[in-house]
Amino acid sequence: MSPSSPSSPPTHRRIAAVVVLVPVLVALALWAFAWPAARTAPRDLPLGVAGPAAAAAPLEQRLERQQGAFELHRYADEAAAREAVEEREVYGAVVAAERGPKLLVATAASPVVAQLLQQAVTRQAEASGSRVTTVDVVPAAERDPRGAIMNASVLPLALAGIGAGTAVTMLGLLGVRAVVALTGSAALVGAVAAALTHSWLEAVPGNWWALAGTFALAALAVGAAVSGLAALLGQAGIALGGLVIMLLGNPFSGASSAPELLPEPTGAIGQWLPPGAGVSLLRSVSFFDGAAVTGPALTLAWWAALGLGAVLLADALKEHARKAEPAADRDPALAG
């Protein structure tokens, strides 16, 4: 058995570190993924109520009895409520009608929320002796009615970004070269993702180039963040970036449900991280003609800009430090 190097910790300490670290990581992963899933419920879920005041008031009162479940928005008529759903202001709307309430939903925004609203409104309508008519204003893709393919795209994009950031760091690419590598990798990831989900599987509709750009921006945000942290912190930055994206970004993204269904404040945190912002932007670009894209697009852009900026800053600091070294230190032949 070869002896340990003087700078490395003793073998028993390394074994103990592995024995302790693995259960800790498992506990963190279970907390991050299982806890939000076990606490799924509507929390201030944006929902519209439309129709004449006299007819809509009873609907509002019944919905308000579910304290904290819905954030109600009032609209004058069905047309205004439908527009609000299409603009992603609300997930759905209950319209007061003579033959009973009409429910407007958008399965493209979240099949889980659409089903939840149907159950909640139908239950209330049956209790009052009326019948609900449901209209899907913005349906999901015919080839992917449950949104499974779009939800599944979150993890591969996160892995692609983490992989790109790690590769750039391990290959020793610095400064502009690192920026070019990260940008080029993200562009190719965007093209491949759009080709698979849009052209082949036909599960993500919309403009092909807009979709490719969305996928690329999401991958670049992750890759730049990981590479930027690594440039500032060393290889520890890769681990930190990977943990944040995988253990917080993915489970808190609300991709399989909605941010408003996750325990507070995980839904809000998820929308500030690349996976959550990426899936929100993808839904808007794919199904809602670009409605409500500003927030998630800016979030991804900031992650990308800060990460790439950190890469350039770290390289500039290293170059400055190198130039500041005395000539004798840089060239031993000049010493003495």
Side-chain angles (χ1 to χ4, degrees):
M1 181 180 296
S2 60
S4 301
S5 62
S7 60
S8 63
T11 301
H12 70 276
R13 290 187 181 180
R14 286 179 282 173
I15 294 175
V18 173
V19 170
V20 173
L21 181 61
V22 172
V24 168
L25 290 176
V26 170
L28 286 174
L30 286 174
W31 166 79
F33 284 89
W35 173 59
R39 297 291 186 270
T40 299
R43 297 171 177 83
D44 293 325
L45 186 74
L47 177 65
V49 177
L59 293 175
E60 290 185 83
Q61 292 173 0
R62 287 195 290 268
L63 290 169
E64 286 174 349
R65 289 172 189 167
Q66 303 183 44
Q67 295 182 356
F70 301 110
E71 178 187 280
L72 298 181
H73 297 249
R74 188 73 174 81
Y75 300 101
D77 52 29
E78 180 179 344
R82 183 183 291 267
E83 182 180 357
V85 173
E86 294 172 343
E87 293 295 322
R88 301 202 72 184
E89 295 176 7
V90 292
Y91 281 93
V94 185
V95 182
E98 295 181 359
R99 298 183 178 180
K102 178 184 290 186
L103 174 62
L104 307 179
V105 297
T107 53
S110 172
V112 174
V113 170
Q115 184 178 12
L116 182 150
L117 292 177
Q118 284 182 286
Q119 293 173 347
V121 175
T122 299
R123 184 167 56 248
Q124 291 185 358
E126 290 176 348
S128 61
S130 56
R131 187 175 180 179
V132 178
T133 302
T134 301
V135 178
D136 197 347
V137 178
V138 188
E142 184 177 352
R143 294 289 185 90
D144 187 28
R146 297 183 180 180
I149 294 175
M150 178 175 289
N151 300 340
S153 67
V154 176
L155 180 59
L157 287 176
L159 291 175
I162 293 173
T166 302
V168 164
T169 302
M170 302 307 292
L171 292 174
L173 298 177
L174 303 173
V176 176
R177 292 181 179 179
V179 171
V180 171
L182 290 168
T183 305
S185 173
L188 288 176
V189 167
V192 170
L196 291 174
T197 59
H198 178 279
S199 304
W200 179 41
L201 298 174
E202 299 181 0
V204 182
N207 180 272
W208 193 94
W209 292 104
L211 292 173
T214 300
F215 283 123
L217 181 58
L220 179 61
V222 176
V226 172
S227 186
L229 286 171
L232 296 176
L233 304 177
Q235 293 187 9
I238 298 176
L240 177 60
L243 287 174
V244 170
I245 297 300
M246 296 301 296
L247 292 186
L248 296 181
N250 276 0
F252 293 177
S253 67
S256 60
S257 55
E260 293 83 359
L261 298 186
L262 300 179
E264 297 179 350
T266 59
I269 293 173
Q271 294 307 295
W272 284 101
L273 295 173
V279 75
S280 293
L281 181 60
L282 185 60
R283 290 188 190 279
S284 292
V285 171
S286 301
F287 297 100
F288 295 89
D289 294 327
V293 300
T294 303
L298 286 177
T299 299
L300 293 176
W302 273 112
W303 277 96
L306 290 175
L308 296 178
V311 170
L312 295 174
L313 175 62
D315 183 55
L317 292 176
K318 289 180 180 179
E319 181 67 17
H320 178 74
R322 187 186 67 80
K323 291 181 178 180
E325 292 177 358
D329 292 341
R330 285 189 278 116
D331 190 354
L334 299 177

